[in-house]
Amino acid sequence: MKSMGVVGGGQMGSGIAQLGIVHGIDVWLIDSDPNALARASKSISSNIQRLVSKGLLSQAAGSSALGRLRCTKSLEELHSADIIIEAIAEYEDAKRKLFLELDEIAKSSAILASNTSSISITRLASVTGRPLQVIGMHFMNPPPIMKLVEVIRGADTSDETFNATKALAERFGKTVVCSQDYSGFIVNRILMPMINEAFFTLYTGVATKEDIDTGMKLGTNHPMGPLELADFIGLDVCLSIMKVLHAGLGDSKYAPCPLLVQYVDAGRLGRKRGIGVYEYRKVPEPVKPSPRL
Ligand SMILES: NC(=O)c1ccc[n+]([C@@H]2O[C@H](COP(=O)([O-])OP(=O)(O)OC[C@H]3O[C@@H](n4cnc5c(N)ncnc54)[C@H](O)[C@@H]3O)[C@@H](O)[C@H]2O)c1
């Protein structure tokens, strides 16, 4: 693989683009929002500077990695990409529309991958004329740090597509697990009901948010509590995944907690918005009274 497109320059897309350029791949990063592109480009270059200052990457390798990144709003630039990884918001209609467009633009040999957390790869593949070359490539957050990539085979994904995708993830230094295409795959099928249950625990007054998180951190050896983790992932992403699990698996045990729904309705989306279950906005320093002379 020499060139890669990443569509969606949010927290996941920017991290995936960073992995690509650091591992010698030319990357086009696409986002419909120019502010998101500016943020992505700034965060990628500061992450690369950090790798250089820690001695994990030479100055020359850092500069050439940054030289391999191009950011644009135009999907048309993806016509020569060997693989395109979609990382836009977790809404099936938007992803289906995008896959339809990508199928028109991408060269016939290109693989179309989705970083979806839960949406059916088979249904995304069905809107394209290349279902053999459509696959799920589910990075964990943040992609440059987390060691796992979950690869999801749609009903028609070919062995060739699977092997090429697995090889790319391994080139990025990741361990690959393979999941069949059922809602939530492996990781979110297990993680999201736990996060949703943490919201129910808060909603029904069993404990405070701090005690729920501390209980799970110290009681089960999780590095982050479930509510803290939900804020990190994004409450909108968590809610979308619960809706997909509920609709796709048809069991009421996956119904999203009303408190999670209310937070999302209120725009409390987690760290990315400065407020979720917890508040992250910097509280202004109290004004010191001026000394009386
Ligand atoms: N946040 C996580 O922890 C996490 C982990 C694994 C997978 N995912 C999945 O990755 C995907 C992206 O999640 P995220 O957290 O990075 O979201 P995000 O909201 O941070 O970023 C999404 C970006 O996509 C852009 N976008 C939306 N529609 C677009 C379109 N049609 N064309 C181009 N750009 C478009 C938005 O402007 C935004 O910058 C989702 O499918 C999510 O489920 C998220």
Side-chain angles (χ1 to χ4, degrees), residues 79-91:
H79 60 89
S80 60
D82 297 316
I83 183 167
I84 302 174
I85 304 176
E86 167 278 311
I88 67 168
E90 187 75 348
Y91 297 113

Side-chain angles (χ1 to χ4, degrees), residues 7-14 16 30-33 36-37 39 73 75 86-91 94-95 97-98 101 114-119 138-142 188 229 232-234 236-237 240-241 272:
V7 188
Q11 22 179 10
M12 296 305 292
S14 62
I16 298 167
I30 315 283
D31 201 293
S32 46
D33 174 2
L37 278 181
R39 277 195 303 273
K73 275 179 77 176
L75 279 181
E86 167 278 311
I88 67 168
E90 187 75 348
Y91 297 113
K95 287 191 194 281
K97 181 170 174 289
L98 179 63
E101 288 176 87
S114 174
N115 183 51
T116 177
S117 305
S118 58
I119 293 168
H138 182 210
F139 290 83
M140 307 294 129
N141 187 11
N188 284 320
L229 179 59
F232 184 70
I233 294 170
D236 52 337
V237 176
S240 302
I241 298 170
K272 62 186 169 188

Side-chain angles (χ1 to χ4, degrees), residues 140-204:
M140 307 294 129
N141 187 11
I145 308 279
M146 297 292 281
K147 300 257 178 287
L148 184 74
V149 172
E150 203 175 21
V151 175
I152 301 103
R153 298 188 72 140
D156 294 317
T157 307
S158 68
D159 288 344
E160 204 181 0
T161 301
F162 175 76
N163 291 334
T165 308
K166 182 171 182 278
L168 180 65
E170 287 171 348
R171 177 169 169 186
F172 293 161
K174 306 300 181 192
T175 297
V176 169
V177 292
C178 175
S179 172
Q180 297 304 315
D181 188 23
Y182 295 106
S183 306
F185 319 130
I186 303 171
V187 174
N188 284 320
R189 173 80 175 261
I190 298 168
L191 174 66
M192 283 302 151
M194 185 191 75
I195 287 179
N196 197 44
E197 202 57 34
F199 274 93
F200 272 113
T201 312
L202 182 63
Y203 177 58
T204 53

Side-chain angles (χ1 to χ4, degrees), residues 73-111:
K73 275 179 77 176
S74 164
L75 279 181
E76 309 294 327
E77 303 289 357
L78 300 182
H79 60 89
S80 60
D82 297 316
I83 183 167
I84 302 174
I85 304 176
E86 167 278 311
I88 67 168
E90 187 75 348
Y91 297 113
E92 184 165 337
D93 288 350
K95 287 191 194 281
R96 284 164 72 103
K97 181 170 174 289
L98 179 63
F99 269 71
L100 198 64
E101 288 176 87
L102 292 177
D103 193 36
E104 291 286 312
I105 292 165
K107 64 183 179 187
S108 61
S109 59
I111 292 176

